[in-house]
């Protein structure tokens, strides 16, 4: 908590009413992470790890790091803790619904515990030797990160439960039955269509985009097939013609949003290479804004806007671009700096 800083302590006090969930989530503070999940003391380590993993997937976090829970002041057996943590991770890794969480790290601060966790992992490897290669590779990628593969990627088809309709056709002659079946099939095919969308950015779809497609597939009468082994990657959308058209428009909008984001990030990088905006944290310390806020401040200055609202430590501040002072709702004032990196280009 000391390393995270006073702001995290304040958040813990602010969200204390959520403790019945078994944990609370705060910003990362001074630590090199986006969020911190604070657990309440419990002897059920496996349940706690499972809760955290499920919360990470729900919030679309891509990685998480655990300490050896319970081996400090709680004085639990490192071997038992290792077994419980790894059991929870193995069960989580086998779930088909895991889309976002890619890397799970266990950080061990005491060297003597390394052997306990190593033996636990070795034991599970032997116990689950009969498991499929898919399960093993999924667990390995979660714990150690994905390895580059030279194998050709197989098309990804999002699972969809189909409602089957059965027609029973009776007639005086076989020809009549065949004609009726052909007529019904033609009617069905007239309502079916497919559309293929090709774009390099399809290969960059993350869990957020995949979940959006899963939701579209659930609500509309379509199926998706990803063909990432094509160049450029493409999505095949099949189903009822009207829904295929509507869903295709939404997929195109998703791709355009990704393009806009990439262009904005590229512009932010360029602006950051030319000028740096900072805010004062202590008397003599100035902290650099993130690159997107840096770009927004520079754009506001160029377009001669008098004010711009930005976030500093998760609070809104109104920046006066003329006086370079920022104020929040409580009247707190922070000094802002603009530091050109290359005067000749500004």
């Amino acid at each position: 908590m000391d390393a995270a800083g006073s702001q995290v302590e304040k958040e813990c006090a602010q969200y204390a009413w959520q403790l019945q969930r078994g944990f609370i989530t705060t910003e990362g503070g001074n630590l090199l992470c986006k969020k911190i999940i604070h657990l309440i003391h419990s002897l059920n380590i496996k349940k706690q790890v499972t809760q955290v993993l499920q919360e990470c997937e729900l919030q679309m976090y891509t990685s998480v790091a655990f300490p050896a829970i319970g081996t400090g002041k709680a004085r639990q057996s490192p071997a038992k803790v290792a077994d419980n943590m790894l059991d929870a991770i193995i069960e989580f890794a086998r779930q088909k619904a895991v889309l976002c969480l890619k890397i799970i790290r266990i950080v061990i601060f005491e060297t003597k515990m390394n052997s306990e966790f190593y033996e636990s992992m070795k034991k599970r490897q032997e116990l689950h030797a009969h498991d499929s290669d898919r399960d093993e590779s999924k667990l390995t990628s979660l714990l150690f990160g994905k390895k580059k593969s030279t194998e050709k990627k197989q098309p990804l088809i999002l699972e969809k439960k189909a409602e089957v309709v059965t027609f029973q056709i009776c007639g005086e002659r076989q020809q009549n039955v065949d004609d009726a079946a052909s007529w019904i099939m033609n009617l069905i095919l007239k309502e079916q269509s497919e559309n293929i969308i090709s774009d390099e950015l399809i290969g960059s779809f993350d869990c957020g985009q995949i979940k959006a497609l899963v939701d579209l597939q659930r609500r509309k009468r379509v199926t998706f097939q990803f063909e990432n082994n094509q160049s450029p990657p493409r999505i095949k959308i099949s189903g009822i013609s009207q829904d295929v058209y509507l869903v295709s428009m939404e997929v195109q909008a998703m791709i355009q949003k990704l393009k806009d984001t990439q262009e904005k990030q590229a512009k932010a990088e360029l602006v950051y290479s030319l000028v740096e905006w900072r805010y004062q944290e202590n008397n003599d310390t100035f902290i650099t804004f993130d690159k997107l806020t840096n770009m927004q401040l520079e754009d506001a200055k160029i377009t001669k806007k008098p004010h711009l609202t930005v976030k500093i430590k998760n609070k809104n501040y109104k920046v006066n671009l003329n006086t370079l002072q920022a104020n929040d709702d409580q009247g707190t004032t922070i000094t802002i700096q603009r530091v050109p990196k290359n005067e000749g280009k500004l």
Side-chain angles (χ1 to χ4, degrees):
M1 188 65 76
D2 291 338
S6 59
Q7 185 61 34
V8 173
E9 286 190 56
K10 292 177 183 177
E11 284 190 68
C12 286
Q14 179 182 351
Y15 300 131
W17 59 273
Q18 298 179 355
L19 290 176
Q20 63 269 22
R21 299 172 60 198
F23 64 89
I24 57 175
T25 304
T26 67
E27 297 297 319
N30 297 329
L31 301 181
L32 297 177
C33 61
K34 292 183 178 179
K35 301 287 182 180
I36 303 173
I37 297 178
H38 306 263
L39 295 171
I40 300 170
H41 171 65
S42 171
L43 295 178
N44 194 338
I45 302 298
K46 182 178 177 182
K47 180 181 178 182
Q48 287 189 310
V49 173
T50 299
Q51 282 183 311
V52 171
L53 295 175
Q54 290 173 346
E55 177 70 6
C56 289
E57 182 66 19
L58 181 66
Q59 300 300 330
M60 299 185 185
Y61 302 151
T62 57
S63 65
V64 62
F66 289 95
I69 301 172
T71 57
K73 291 182 180 180
R75 297 183 179 178
Q76 292 202 46
S77 163
K80 183 180 178 182
V81 168
D83 289 345
N84 288 331
M85 293 186 71
L86 290 172
D87 282 345
I89 293 171
I90 288 170
E91 290 179 13
F92 176 79
R94 286 176 172 167
Q95 296 177 18
K96 291 184 178 180
V98 178
L99 296 174
C100 299
L101 193 56
K102 305 298 182 185
I103 299 175
I104 301 170
R105 296 184 175 93
I106 299 177
V107 182
I108 303 171
F109 295 100
E110 296 186 31
T111 307
K112 63 183 180 182
M113 290 187 194
N114 286 340
S115 59
E116 305 282 359
F117 277 82
Y118 173 76
E119 288 301 325
S120 182
M121 292 182 69
K122 187 177 178 182
K123 181 169 61 177
R124 267 141 195 78
Q125 188 176 22
E126 294 169 355
L127 284 173
H128 302 287
H130 62 279
D131 290 348
S132 68
D133 292 340
R134 182 176 176 273
D135 285 341
E136 183 180 349
S137 63
K138 189 174 181 182
L139 176 60
T140 302
S141 68
L142 279 170
L143 285 170
F144 305 108
K146 290 187 176 179
K147 294 181 179 179
K148 291 183 178 180
S149 173
T150 56
E151 295 180 5
K152 190 175 182 181
K153 292 182 179 179
Q154 296 298 318
L156 170 64
I157 304 175
L158 299 184
E159 294 182 7
K160 184 178 180 71
K161 293 182 179 178
E163 296 180 3
V164 179
V165 177
T166 302
F167 291 92
Q168 291 183 336
I169 306 172
C170 303
E172 294 180 357
R173 293 182 301 166
Q174 182 62 42
Q175 185 61 46
N176 293 341
V177 172
D178 292 342
D179 290 344
S182 177
W183 177 75
I184 291 172
M185 185 58 66
N186 287 334
L187 284 179
I188 294 172
L189 291 176
K190 283 181 181 178
E191 291 298 318
Q192 299 286 317
S193 68
E194 69 176 36
N195 184 35
I196 296 176
I197 300 175
S198 302
D199 197 286
E200 289 293 345
L201 288 177
I202 291 173
S204 302
F205 275 14
D206 61 16
C207 62
Q209 281 87 37
I210 297 298
K211 281 191 172 182
L213 293 179
V214 170
D215 183 60
L216 276 174
Q217 187 170 257
R218 180 180 55 81
R219 293 186 289 107
K220 302 293 185 179
R221 293 162 293 181
V222 298
T223 58
F224 293 100
Q225 180 174 344
F226 286 81
E227 298 178 351
N228 289 331
N229 54 337
Q230 300 293 321
S231 182
R234 61 187 193 177
I235 300 176
K236 182 187 291 185
I237 307 169
S238 307
I240 303 298
S241 299
Q242 183 179 4
D243 286 354
V244 168
Y245 171 76
L246 294 173
V247 169
S248 295
M249 297 295 289
E250 294 203 41
V251 172
Q252 292 283 16
M254 290 169 61
I255 293 172
Q256 186 59 49
K257 187 175 180 180
L258 275 177
K259 288 179 180 177
D260 294 342
T261 299
Q262 286 193 353
E263 289 175 3
K264 186 183 291 185
Q265 289 172 342
K267 181 183 176 183
E269 288 286 349
L270 175 61
V271 172
Y272 183 74
S273 69
L274 300 175
V275 65
E276 197 172 293
W277 286 81
R278 304 169 180 172
Y279 63 90
Q280 190 173 19
E281 186 175 52
N282 298 316
N283 292 335
D284 301 318
T285 305
F286 279 83
I287 306 297
T288 304
F289 282 100
D290 65 84
K291 293 177 182 178
L292 287 178
T293 305
N294 188 77
M295 177 187 69
Q296 291 166 359
L297 285 164
E298 186 64 15
D299 284 347
K301 179 183 181 300
I302 291 172
T303 56
K304 297 183 179 179
K305 289 183 178 178
H307 299 96
L308 179 71
T309 299
V310 300
K311 278 195 178 295
I312 299 176
K313 293 185 176 180
N314 212 33
K315 292 177 64 177
N316 287 329
Y317 280 80
K318 187 175 182 180
V319 178
N320 185 317
L321 275 300
N322 295 317
T323 63
L324 295 183
Q325 298 289 312
N327 297 282
D328 67 1
D329 294 337
Q330 284 73 45
T332 305
T333 300
I334 294 178
T335 300
I336 305 297
Q337 274 187 348
R338 178 181 181 274
V339 182
K341 294 183 178 180
N342 191 329
E343 290 286 356
K345 293 185 179 181
L346 295 176

